[in-house]
Amino acid sequence: MAEKSTTTGTVDVLLHEERAFKPDPNFTAKSVVRDDSLYREAAKDRELFWARCAQELDWFEAPKSTLVWDPPNYRWFEGGKINVSYNCLDRHIQSATRNKAAIIWEGEPGEKRTLTYWDLYREVNRFANVLKGLGVKKGDRVAVYLPMVPEAIVSLLACARIGAIHTVIFGGFSADSLRDRIKDAEAKVVITADGGYRRGGIVQLKSTVDKALKECPGVQDVVVVRRTRRDVDMSDKRDHWYHELISHADAFCEPEPMDAEDTLFILYTSGTTGKPKGIMHSTGGYLLGAMMTTKWVFDLKPEDVYWCTADVGWITGHTYVTYGPLANAATQVIFEGTPDWPERDRWWKIIERYGVTVLYSTPTAIRSFMKWGRQIPQNCDLSSLRLLGTVGEPINPEAWIWYHTNIGGGRCPVVDTWWQTETGSIVISPLPGVTTLKPGSATRPLPGIEAAVLSDTGEEVKHGGGYLALTAPSPSMLRGIWGDQERYRDTYWSKWDLKTYFSGDGARRDEDGDFWFLGRVDDVMNISGHRIGSMEVESALVDHDKVAEAAVVGVHDEIRGQAIVGFVTLKHDQEPSEEMEQILRKHVADVIGPIARPSRIIFTGDLPKTRSGKIMRRLLRDIAEGRVLGDVTTLADASVVEELKQKYDEEG
Ligand code: PRX
């Protein structure tokens, strides 16, 4: 057994030579979850456990069954009729919560808006009527391409109210990316803005929409939120101002009773091919996962001021900005902008200004703050904070400790939450009142979740490394890939048997059974917590007329977790140059979006391939990270990789 020694009262012990933090009894005494009874209840009868939890939702008609599992498909709460916007709004306005702040919003230039539950309810009802007026019906798709403004949340809830399926596209994606997603989802309406603010500049969302829609004849209407008041082109028939439409809309819209299994939304995420996957989420099961995990993991109580810094364009912005907090009647802060604009104290000022109690953020942000120095947060009053969270990528123990010490003042538990777009809600995470925390470990599966580390051949690895697998479906897991159920089956359910979900992540379990995540094991990169497929960037590179061939890998980056390095072979009449490197980096940003811009391009005469012609990215990763080359015996021509390594090492 490991050495255990208490160093600072109740919270700091050494476990297995790693630091570990036991829950503070004072925190536990007031927690939503105070003991292991939820784990025990779920272990006894998982379905009964989820059925009991589902009673915390308001159903128009109660479900007739809990889980129907027909691998790889599963249906939760069949026969149940429910509306998500009703659960996030209507049920709260029947009590004093009606006057509680739902959203405290700050725009990048500093404007402030507070919407109570009543305000939000009214706005959502009106906008739901606007969408209906545009002919949007249950099951139709609505694309949302907005900055972080309250109207983004309103749009999602308005879709949910009438049973339309929303698909949010992150505002940093290019016109091509937007076009591809709109076309794949066959969206009928697009909701956008005349612009958004970012680091003092304006993101031209509307002109990007105009460009994308040149090739999307199925889009009949565009609703434009007035945000920056800059001039934008408005097409007479197609484009409408949000504020004009809403001013004429009726104040009440009957919430559509949806089947529990109806699709609530599609969210595109990168996979191992060049084409992003439209991950489909259900109505009842998804909402249940979002609501329960928000309450358990963030220990949410009525008096909290909760702040999740994610953009609505990512799954975290769906589950932990929109649905989870609102289903729990939380008060939350929403902000538009970046941590370093106008100054590097933006976040800490917000925490001080609104008395934020729970902060949910990312390792990339934390590592940037570390670099900028602890003096900056120290100049602000962060004493309101009581709980910290992190998500998106593995957090290194140094960053965890820094966050705990400098932001949490040593008193706030840090919950490292592992999950994915596909899981819909948090899967592996501490519960702050009961779990012993270990910096760098997401600890263990939440109640009602079944996860394991498996070997390549599917044996469970109790202590040691392997692949993270989910061995039973939970309510909020994906129901499919839009328009491609075969890919759904192949990607997630074919590695072992049809009942075991393959996450694409490597993980190891320590002697206590706690999970440690090791990053992706497939060709998906994780840049600042955002998934980018190697193949997507490769397609963007070969899309340039001077490029013959390209391979892309993610390499370790101190701040962003990973950075993108491209290996490019130019066409025979082209000469590599620094200028060409800049052109290609920009080209990728133009084609996909700035988040996919490679940090470096290495020109090479050839790429390492197997005899069957498959590019060996593993070896490129070894080269880019300065490691000794792995097994080269399957290469068609081993000299290619030797030369490349020499060149890379020389260039530093
Ligand atoms: O590799 C894991 C990493 O992010 C991936 C999921 O990305 P995405 O679907 O964009 O969702 C991000 C927000 C949930 C995972 O496959 N990841 C996410 N959270 C963690 C993590 N890796 C380690 N530790 C985490 N806490």
Side-chain angles (χ1 to χ4, degrees):
M1 202 38 210
E3 177 196 355
K4 294 197 185 195
S5 70
T6 304
T7 52
T8 56
T10 53
V11 288
D12 200 357
V13 295
L14 270 171
L15 267 185
H16 308 302
E17 295 169 64
E18 287 140 2
R19 289 183 74 181
F21 297 79
K22 280 189 171 168
D24 178 344
N26 295 321
F27 187 100
T28 306
K30 294 185 224 139
S31 295
V32 171
V33 183
R34 295 172 198 189
D35 55 35
D36 63 358
S37 53
L38 284 184
Y39 294 101
R40 280 189 282 115
E41 183 192 349
K44 209 165 145 202
D45 189 331
R46 211 173 73 91
E47 285 183 41
L48 203 63
F49 168 74
W50 282 119
R52 203 262 306 151
C53 292
Q55 289 172 9
E56 294 190 31
L57 290 170
D58 277 34
W59 298 85
F60 298 136
E61 280 177 39
K64 297 198 172 40
S65 68
T66 303
L67 170 65
V68 179
W69 192 2
D70 175 17
N73 301 304
Y74 39 88
R75 300 184 293 280
W76 285 90
F77 311 118
E78 265 192 330
K81 295 269 183 199
I82 191 165
N83 183 279
V84 168
S85 101
Y86 183 94
N87 275 275
C88 292
L89 301 169
D90 302 46
R91 63 173 174 164
H92 305 323
I93 59 156
Q94 292 159 24
S95 68
T97 309
R98 167 194 185 92
N99 301 318
K100 186 182 187 215
I103 295 175
I104 299 170
W105 174 78
E106 238 192 68
E108 187 182 89
E111 330 93 297
K112 299 171 182 64
R113 256 173 92 187
T114 300
L115 281 87
T116 62
Y117 272 91
W118 176 248
D119 296 332
L120 190 60
Y121 167 79
R122 286 186 38 105
E123 187 87 356
V124 167
N125 271 272
R126 284 183 197 278
F127 195 54
N129 280 325
V130 166
L131 293 175
K132 269 189 167 176
L134 295 174
V136 179
K137 298 198 176 56
K138 181 172 165 175
D140 285 347
R141 273 79 60 209
V142 173
V144 177
Y145 188 64
L146 282 170
M148 280 304 275
V149 288
E151 288 79 1
I153 314 297
V154 170
S155 300
L156 269 46
L157 291 170
C159 288
R161 195 161 189 91
I162 64 171
I165 299 170
H166 58 72
T167 182
V168 183
I169 296 109
F170 172 59
F173 276 123
S174 68
D176 288 2
S177 299
L178 179 61
R179 175 203 60 204
D180 292 348
R181 287 157 176 78
I182 290 174
K183 279 176 90 163
D184 189 76
E186 296 177 89
K188 207 167 159 179
V189 169
V190 178
I191 306 168
T192 188
D194 60 2
Y197 293 97
R198 193 178 160 84
R199 288 206 174 90
I202 289 187
V203 186
Q204 304 287 350
L205 298 165
K206 176 63 168 61
S207 56
T208 307
V209 169
D210 291 342
K211 201 167 155 208
L213 292 192
K214 285 196 177 122
E215 292 171 66
C216 302
V219 173
Q220 293 157 12
D221 296 281
V222 177
V223 181
V224 187
V225 174
R226 196 168 63 188
R227 168 85 187 96
T228 61
R229 293 175 181 260
R230 301 292 160 109
D231 277 349
V232 290
D233 291 337
M234 293 290 279
S235 137
D236 271 358
K237 282 214 181 89
R238 192 195 66 187
D239 300 348
H240 321 271
W241 286 107
Y242 175 99
H243 61 277
E244 283 175 7
L245 293 178
I246 213 160
S247 69
H248 302 122
D250 280 348
F252 180 71
C253 172
E254 193 70 52
E256 185 73 34
M258 303 296 287
D259 286 337
E261 277 297 315
D262 280 337
T263 302
L264 176 66
F265 66 85
I266 304 169
L267 184 63
Y268 286 87
T269 188
S270 296
T272 52
T273 73
K275 189 174 185 287
K277 306 175 275 198
I279 303 299
M280 293 160 67
H281 278 293
S282 73
T283 297
Y286 169 80
L287 183 63
L288 182 65
M291 181 173 79
M292 300 316 289
T293 55
T294 307
K295 187 161 88 168
W296 296 334
V297 176
F298 302 112
D299 188 43
L300 215 54
K301 297 201 265 290
E303 62 275 22
D304 273 312
V305 180
Y306 163 93
W307 182 23
C308 165
T309 59
D311 189 282
V312 71
W314 310 106
I315 190 68
T316 312
H318 286 58
T319 309
Y320 297 108
V321 176
T322 309
Y323 297 114
L326 295 176
N328 280 295
T331 292
Q332 68 171 324
V333 169
I334 291 182
F335 102 121
E336 175 197 49
T338 53
D340 56 353
W341 186 274
E343 300 292 339
R344 288 174 169 177
D345 61 0
R346 175 84 199 273
W347 282 19
W348 320 125
K349 285 265 167 64
I350 288 180
I351 290 172
E352 183 177 87
R353 190 149 45 242
Y354 303 109
V356 170
T357 58
V358 179
L359 174 69
Y360 190 27
S361 161
T362 65
T364 289
I366 297 162
R367 289 189 291 257
S368 302
F369 297 132
M370 283 173 80
K371 200 174 100 190
W372 300 337
R374 62 174 178 227
Q375 211 57 49
I376 298 171
Q378 269 172 5
N379 286 338
C380 293
D381 178 5
L382 306 182
S383 61
S384 58
L385 286 171
R386 64 177 195 88
L387 176 60
L388 303 173
T390 155
V391 64
E393 35 176 333
I395 182 163
N396 45 318
E398 297 75 13
W400 194 106
I401 298 281
W402 190 92
Y403 194 33
H404 183 260
T405 311
N406 295 292
I407 305 305
R411 72 185 177 277
C412 305
V414 175
V415 288
D416 175 3
T417 64
W418 182 91
W419 60 296
Q420 308 177 298
T421 304
E422 291 86 344
T423 67
S425 59
I426 298 170
V427 169
I428 299 183
S429 164
L431 292 181
V434 299
T435 314
T436 294
L437 308 171
K438 295 177 191 166
S441 168
T443 71
R444 56 179 165 150
L446 290 181
I449 300 287
E450 294 201 356
V453 172
L454 300 184
S455 71
D456 208 31
T457 46
E459 281 92 39
E460 181 161 6
V461 182
K462 292 256 191 217
H463 308 300
Y467 303 103
L468 192 278
L470 301 176
T471 50
S474 55
S476 69
M477 274 170 76
L478 80 165
R479 298 300 194 266
I481 295 177
W482 181 256
D484 199 347
Q485 287 308 79
E486 208 177 305
R487 190 174 179 196
Y488 163 75
R489 188 189 174 104
D490 290 350
T491 309
Y492 303 112
W493 304 98
S494 64
K495 184 162 175 68
W496 297 291
D497 57 48
L498 286 181
K499 294 173 101 175
T500 309
Y501 170 89
F502 173 62
S503 67
D505 270 42
R508 88 180 158 83
R509 289 184 78 179
D510 65 19
E511 286 167 45
D512 301 315
D514 282 330
F515 291 72
W516 297 72
F517 284 91
L518 307 170
R520 303 286 306 191
V521 294
D522 52 11
D523 288 321
V524 173
M525 300 172 288
N526 189 328
I527 316 298
S528 309
H530 302 313
R531 271 161 73 168
I532 316 247
S534 302
M535 287 267 278
E536 277 173 83
V537 183
E538 287 166 8
S539 316
L541 283 168
V542 294
D543 170 77
H544 194 279
D545 61 4
K546 308 268 181 340
V547 174
E549 205 171 23
V552 159
V553 294
V555 300
H556 176 73
D557 180 275
E558 253 180 42
I559 304 287
R560 292 171 298 165
Q562 283 194 311
I564 303 176
V565 174
F567 291 84
V568 168
T569 306
L570 293 173
K571 287 190 178 154
H572 66 278
D573 55 343
Q574 297 300 318
E575 278 300 313
S577 66
E578 232 169 70
E579 196 196 347
M580 182 57 87
E581 180 178 357
Q582 298 317 325
I583 291 171
L584 294 181
R585 290 178 64 227
K586 180 174 181 300
H587 181 72
V588 175
D590 290 345
V591 172
I592 304 176
I595 47 167
R597 188 197 310 268
S599 42
R600 196 168 167 198
I601 304 268
I602 309 288
F603 295 105
T604 170
D606 211 344
L607 290 166
K609 290 187 198 127
T610 61
R611 284 176 204 103
S612 59
K614 194 171 172 289
I615 294 174
M616 292 191 71
R617 293 200 190 84
R618 176 174 59 78
L619 293 175
L620 293 175
R621 228 169 277 136
D622 288 342
I623 291 173
E625 291 190 333
R627 280 192 298 266
V628 177
L629 290 176
D631 184 7
V632 294
T633 49
T634 52
L635 280 177
D637 177 1
S639 68
V640 171
V641 72
E642 290 295 345
E643 269 171 39
L644 196 53
K645 181 159 172 52
Q646 206 175 349
K647 185 170 170 237
Y648 194 95
D649 290 348
E650 273 167 21
E651 283 178 12

